[in-house]
Amino acid sequence: WAAKGTALMGVKAVVTESFERIHRSNLVGMGVLPLQFKDGQTAASLGLDGTETFDLVGLETDALRPRQDVTLRITRSDGTTAETQLTLRIDTPIEIEYYRNGGILPYVLRQLIA
């Protein structure tokens, strides 16, 4: 339910320091983008306090590759911005297909229809 609840709340991406293997896989299966800070980087080291908004820059669904770098633009409450690199934690080509289709269930249904 952790991944399903996340998806049902409308969350499109999760950024964290690390993922438990099954949770990362379940996020992908629910169509939620798992992203991981680079080694040594944390929310605290970036000075995040929960008031920011975030944008993923240059993330083209058609060009996704397993474990590619992704740019996160951070807009702080005072209007200043910063950017940092994250690792896309979609680890395999089939997971890319699951994500492109909105999760594993839509993927399977599209395969059955085809």
Side-chain angles (χ1 to χ4, degrees):
W1 278 98
K4 188 173 187 177
T6 300
L8 290 172
M9 289 189 303
V11 173
K12 301 296 181 194
V14 172
V15 180
T16 188
E17 293 176 37
S18 66
F19 285 98
E20 201 283 327
R21 181 189 56 80
I22 194 71
H23 183 59
R24 184 206 60 79
S25 178
N26 287 343
L27 287 170
V28 174
M30 292 303 300
V32 177
L33 198 64
L35 299 159
Q36 188 169 330
F37 289 119
K38 297 290 185 179
D39 286 341
Q41 199 173 54
T42 66
S45 72
L46 292 170
L48 303 180
D49 63 14
T51 61
E52 303 83 8
T53 59
F54 304 95
D55 295 293
L56 296 171
V57 180
L59 185 66
E60 303 298 328
T61 304
D62 294 341
L64 289 178
R65 296 179 327 279
R67 299 189 63 93
Q68 76 181 59
D69 284 349
V70 175
T71 301
L72 178 70
R73 180 178 299 135
I74 303 161
T75 303
R76 301 184 190 284
S77 58
D78 66 2
T80 60
T81 62
E83 290 186 354
T84 190
Q85 292 295 302
L86 306 173
T87 300
L88 174 64
R89 284 302 314 277
I90 294 180
D91 294 346
T92 65
I94 191 64
E95 288 181 337
I96 295 286
E97 292 306 312
Y98 295 160
Y99 178 74
R100 282 186 181 141
N101 283 275
I104 194 167
L105 182 58
Y107 172 83
V108 170
L109 291 174
R110 284 185 179 100
Q111 295 298 311
L112 289 173
I113 290 169

